[in-house]
Amino acid sequence: MTLSAGRHRYLVALGSNMRHPFHGSPRMVIEAAFAALTARFDVEAASRIVSTAPLGPSHRRYANAAAVVGTDMVPLDTLAALQAIEREFGRRRRGQRWSARVLDLDLILWSGGPFAEPHLQIPHPAFREREFVLEPASDVAPHWRDPETGLSLRQLHARLTRPRALPR
């Protein structure tokens, strides 16, 4: 796959549910992560921080947010930069999914449309079913469209959270 050089925009989801020895609570970790993103990228927008229930075996609530960042980096280089930030915050990937973590940074969308490599898929495969991603993402990029469904982030969030009738 050949990627064009130039400016790209990425939607990054941020999450934390562990205290950091220096930064403090998960909410403070997310605030520090916004600063770390600003040091490496042009942060065009940062969402409010929301508190959400855990997914999977973790019992701690998460602080979640989203950011739109601009860079000349291609997706794999952007992923590497995000993983470097995670490591700086003490993140160690041990293979267990959905466990407690000090910082999680995920690439959700990018301005180049769909992207697939063995270690990275954009759009993020599960973002359409995750309110903790869609709520802050629709704050910062409500009109950004999912290249696979054509729906905006605001529409995806509304579909996910709309009231449904109880089964009879």
Side-chain angles (χ1 to χ4, degrees):
M1 169 182 277
T2 304
L3 297 174
S4 63
R7 196 77 174 154
H8 303 292
R9 295 174 73 221
Y10 294 89
L11 176 65
V12 178
L14 299 87
S16 173
N17 74 339
M18 285 180 63
R19 250 186 113 63
H20 186 275
F22 177 74
H23 299 297
S25 70
R27 177 174 286 276
M28 300 299 286
V29 168
I30 297 299
E31 290 176 5
F34 279 140
L37 286 172
T38 300
R40 285 184 171 81
F41 302 100
D42 175 20
V43 176
E44 298 174 11
S47 76
R48 60 193 165 89
I49 301 170
V50 297
S51 177
T52 60
L55 179 69
S58 181
H59 297 291
R60 299 176 178 165
R61 290 190 65 79
Y62 273 83
N64 290 102
V68 175
V69 302
T71 182
D72 292 334
M73 288 189 271
V74 296
L76 291 174
D77 293 339
T78 303
L79 176 64
L82 294 177
Q83 289 175 340
I85 293 170
E86 289 176 338
R87 284 190 302 278
E88 288 169 11
F89 277 72
R91 169 91 185 261
R92 301 293 174 255
R93 294 183 182 273
R94 293 190 177 99
Q96 183 180 5
R97 299 178 68 176
W98 304 311
S99 62
R101 60 197 59 180
V102 70
L103 182 61
D104 188 29
L105 300 173
D106 286 329
L107 284 176
I108 305 301
L109 295 170
W110 82 303
S111 56
F115 179 87
E117 289 286 331
H119 300 290
L120 177 61
Q121 184 176 343
I122 304 174
H124 188 285
F127 90 98
R128 294 172 201 88
E129 295 86 38
R130 294 182 173 173
E131 185 177 2
F132 63 87
V133 171
L134 289 173
E135 182 180 349
S138 63
D139 277 355
V140 293
H143 303 294
W144 198 332
R145 294 200 176 273
D146 172 6
E148 294 179 8
T149 67
L151 298 172
S152 71
L153 293 176
R154 179 180 286 150
Q155 289 169 321
L156 289 168
H157 184 246
R159 283 183 170 204
L160 187 64
T161 60
R162 74 173 175 247
R164 292 177 173 80
L166 294 175
R168 295 182 186 232

